[in-house]
Amino acid sequence: MNGLIVDSNIILDVFLDNPVWADWSEAVLSEYALHTPLFINQIIYSEISIGFKKIEELEAAILSGGFQMLEIPKEALFLAGKVFLNYRRHKGEKRSPLPDFFIGAHAAVSGLALITRDKNRYQTYFPTVSIISPDSAR
């Protein structure tokens, strides 16, 4: 495995000590971090920033969590737009691309797996992406 993109819900579970999900999220991150790089992108960075008052606190948490920042490639941005058009054609109500479209497209174009608790949308729009979620067999 070349690496994993870690969805914001997993990171926030750990950083905010989610009473339901923190143990699972921490365990899966610890397991994969032993042998696989863990990545975030600009969208995930923005989403997890809600858990912090200062950018310095966020930066320290990212560093201590072992997360590496990956820029979203243009090919993924293009794919996210195409997936959004498909979503709209199927009566999707949002007027602009959802964050999950950028994250899923990034994983798809980069050949990376994704750790998330929100696997349904990713599986629907990015069927080639390997998803690690609470209900997937490891």
Side-chain angles (χ1 to χ4, degrees):
M1 186 177 302
N2 296 334
L4 295 162
I5 294 182
V6 182
D7 201 359
S8 56
N9 55 40
I10 302 299
I11 297 170
L12 287 172
D13 286 348
V14 175
F15 288 172
L16 302 179
D17 197 23
N18 181 301
V20 175
W21 292 107
D23 289 342
W24 182 87
S25 294
E26 189 168 346
V28 76
L29 288 174
S30 295
E31 176 185 335
Y32 282 98
L34 292 173
H35 53 80
T36 308
L38 302 176
F39 298 114
I40 63 171
N41 60 29
Q42 301 94 319
I43 303 297
I44 297 163
Y45 186 97
S46 179
E47 288 181 328
I48 64 176
S49 72
I50 66 168
F52 298 87
K53 291 185 180 178
K54 297 181 178 182
I55 192 169
E56 295 82 6
E57 294 170 356
L58 173 58
E59 288 290 322
I62 289 169
L63 183 63
S64 70
F67 302 105
Q68 300 173 48
M69 179 72 84
L70 280 183
E71 297 295 316
I72 302 173
K74 289 179 185 177
E75 297 83 1
L77 298 172
F78 184 83
L79 177 58
K82 297 304 173 199
V83 167
F84 175 69
L85 285 176
N86 186 32
Y87 162 84
R88 292 286 296 156
R89 285 185 190 118
H90 289 94
K91 310 286 188 230
E93 297 179 9
K94 301 295 182 183
R95 296 283 176 208
S96 61
L98 302 168
D100 290 354
F101 292 161
F102 293 102
I103 295 165
H106 190 177
V109 166
S110 299
L112 299 170
L114 175 66
I115 301 175
T116 185
R117 285 191 288 102
D118 298 328
K119 77 174 195 171
N120 289 342
R121 182 175 292 135
Y122 290 114
Q123 283 185 329
T124 298
Y125 291 101
F126 305 98
T128 63
V129 174
S130 176
I131 306 289
I132 299 160
S133 66
D135 58 348
S136 47
R138 292 187 298 182

